[in-house]
Amino acid sequence: MARKKRILTATLPDGYVKTIGPTSAPFTHYWRIVAELGDGRTEVFWGHAKSLKEATGKNAALADAAKQRGWADYRFEIVELTEGPG
């Protein structure tokens, strides 16, 4: 039997809302990296994970990635996904 498709929503502390779906994947968390470039620009990378452990694992190599890409600063954020009507 196929899994039920769900609409998932992540609401970040700055008020940004990301909607994912419809999906039957067992995602539980959303992560986002906001990188400040040296010239004043900003880059955003994001994804979703099947557990908090998987999401926090993205943070492990982040300092090296920031150095390689020349980021002036970065923020790594994780929020739990909520299931909405869909």
Side-chain angles (χ1 to χ4, degrees):
M1 180 183 247
R3 283 190 197 192
K4 177 185 166 196
K5 299 246 182 203
R6 309 175 300 153
I7 301 292
L8 303 172
T9 303
T11 304
L12 285 104
D14 64 2
Y16 179 78
V17 176
K18 174 71 176 176
T19 302
I20 302 164
T23 182
S24 59
F27 297 130
T28 60
H29 290 79
Y30 172 86
W31 58 267
R32 177 175 77 170
I33 301 166
V34 179
E36 305 293 333
L37 307 181
D39 59 3
R41 293 184 303 141
T42 303
E43 286 187 347
V44 178
F45 304 90
W46 61 271
H48 23 71
K50 295 177 182 176
S51 69
L52 179 59
K53 183 177 180 179
E54 180 184 346
T56 54
K58 306 292 180 191
N59 198 20
L62 197 48
D64 287 338
K67 185 183 273 188
Q68 287 176 357
R69 291 177 172 85
W71 297 343
D73 195 18
Y74 64 89
R75 289 187 320 275
F76 182 68
E77 304 164 321
I78 300 172
V79 294
E80 191 170 2
L81 292 165
T82 57
E83 188 172 339

